[in-house]
Amino acid sequence: MSLIRSKDTRPEIAVRRLIFSLGFRYRLHAKDLPGKPDIVFRSAWKVIFIHGCFWHLHAASGCKLARLPKSNVDFWSAKLNDNRKRDQSNARKLRRDGWKVLQIWECELAKPEQLKRRIVSFLQ
């Protein structure tokens, strides 16, 4: 578990490159905001979280990356559900403070054009 990264993951870097190529500039991992959002647009009051489907328990029915391991099910179920609850709580706190929040899931990277439209729509 010590090898699991919390910053600069492959999905995060892919989204950052996409956003930069669209001409938007941002800050990374704001420690003063709940949940330390992956990408922050302070002047627009917008943040983006990039979630791994497994680690943040993506609930979409078609997501194949969000399956629970077959061993030690009690541990993983509790851990991943806690991650999910914490994500929801952080997003709720940010919205309450006036921030707009976008969550991007790892599986969404498979459709880059659709993801690009979603990001542009959010940032405009």
Side-chain angles (χ1 to χ4, degrees):
M1 294 264 300
S2 65
L3 296 177
I4 304 301
R5 303 178 120 195
S6 63
K7 295 182 192 175
D8 302 328
T9 61
R10 247 184 247 141
E12 184 180 328
I13 290 173
V15 171
R16 286 175 8 197
R17 283 184 179 152
L18 175 62
I19 292 171
F20 191 86
S21 73
L22 293 170
F24 295 101
R25 301 301 177 255
Y26 50 82
R27 296 285 175 236
L28 300 175
H29 311 291
K31 294 177 183 175
D32 61 325
L33 296 175
K36 294 186 211 166
D38 297 310
I39 299 173
V40 180
F41 302 90
R42 286 207 184 262
S43 61
W45 284 72
K46 295 181 181 185
V47 297
I48 297 177
F49 287 98
I50 299 127
H51 293 318
C53 294
F54 171 76
W55 291 106
H56 296 268
L57 206 58
H58 191 196
S61 60
C63 184
K64 296 176 183 174
L65 302 174
R67 61 177 179 73
L68 283 173
K70 293 180 181 175
S71 62
N72 209 357
V73 176
D74 292 337
F75 167 80
W76 284 109
S77 180
K79 176 170 183 44
L80 298 176
N81 278 315
D82 286 347
N83 288 351
R84 185 182 212 180
K85 288 177 187 172
R86 186 181 62 244
D87 293 340
Q88 291 169 346
S89 172
N90 288 331
R92 197 171 26 255
K93 288 175 189 173
L94 285 164
R95 286 186 183 107
R96 185 191 63 219
D97 292 342
W99 292 86
K100 295 204 181 332
V101 178
L102 176 66
Q103 294 179 341
I104 297 176
W105 293 95
E106 178 182 12
C107 62
E108 291 180 278
L109 295 173
K111 298 177 181 175
E113 286 304 313
Q114 188 176 353
L115 179 59
K116 184 191 271 187
R117 285 192 300 273
R118 190 167 171 233
I119 290 171
V120 168
S121 172
F122 174 72
L123 293 176
Q124 290 180 339

